[in-house]
Structures are given as structure tokens and as C-alpha cells.
Amino acid sequence: MKKNMVKIELAGQERHLYYNLNSLEIIEDLTGSTLDKVTKNISMKTLKALVYAGLVHEDKDLTVEAVGEMIGFEDIQVVSEAIGQAFGGLQ
């Protein structure tokens, strides 16, 4: 497993959050803002974009809408923590 790749279970399936330069570009495209700005005040739309950008490396057919379906209200805290762990290596 790559450094800073974080296992997370969504909708009963193990997935792996991983961020690279392509992921950062996806986040900019989806949010219209750079990572340093979107992480200051994360909306649900931004959270979904962050998860999508971290998962698309292992599933090129994944959609933003599908990611939204995977994340239940009960998952938001765990997902947020996993994103933080995965971004830990970018500091």
C-alpha cells in the first residue's frame, strides 16, 4: 500500500483514500478553489469532492454522485478523519 493511503469502508466495501497531484487538480476543478481554501470551511459538497478525489485513483468509473450515495450521515466523522490522515503526508 502507498504511503498515506488510508483504508476506509464505504457502503460495505473497503476503499483506499489516496491523494496525489491529480487529486489536488480534481479538488480544484470540483470546488473552484485551492486545497488550502477548501479545508478552512468544509461543506458537504466539498467533503464529497475530497472523498471522490481520494478514491478515483482505484476506480476510474467512479462518479461524484456515487460517492455521495456511499456516505451516510453516520459516516461523516469517520470519513473526515480518514481524509485528514490521508492528507497528513502533504504537510
Side-chain angles (χ1 to χ4, degrees):
M1 193 158 59
K2 295 178 184 177
K3 183 179 180 184
N4 299 321
M5 185 177 284
V6 176
K7 288 182 194 177
I8 187 167
E9 187 173 319
L10 294 171
Q13 182 178 358
E14 185 177 290
R15 303 240 178 201
H16 303 91
L17 284 173
Y18 177 71
Y19 297 94
N20 57 26
L21 191 58
N22 291 335
S23 305
L24 300 180
E25 183 179 2
I26 290 168
I27 292 166
E28 288 181 9
D29 288 346
L30 292 175
T31 65
S33 195
T34 57
L35 182 64
D36 63 326
K37 292 179 184 169
V38 298
T39 55
K40 291 185 190 222
N41 188 13
I42 298 180
S43 67
M44 291 302 105
K45 184 175 182 177
T46 299
L47 181 67
K48 189 166 62 168
L50 289 168
V51 174
Y52 171 78
L55 294 179
V56 73
H57 70 95
E58 65 183 6
D59 182 356
K60 300 298 183 194
D61 294 326
L62 188 65
T63 65
V64 176
E65 292 76 21
V67 168
E69 291 293 324
M70 291 178 201
I71 303 170
F73 289 122
E74 67 280 2
D75 301 319
I76 292 172
Q77 182 65 37
V78 172
V79 168
S80 297
E81 290 171 4
I83 290 168
Q85 285 181 315
F87 274 119
L90 297 180
Q91 299 175 357

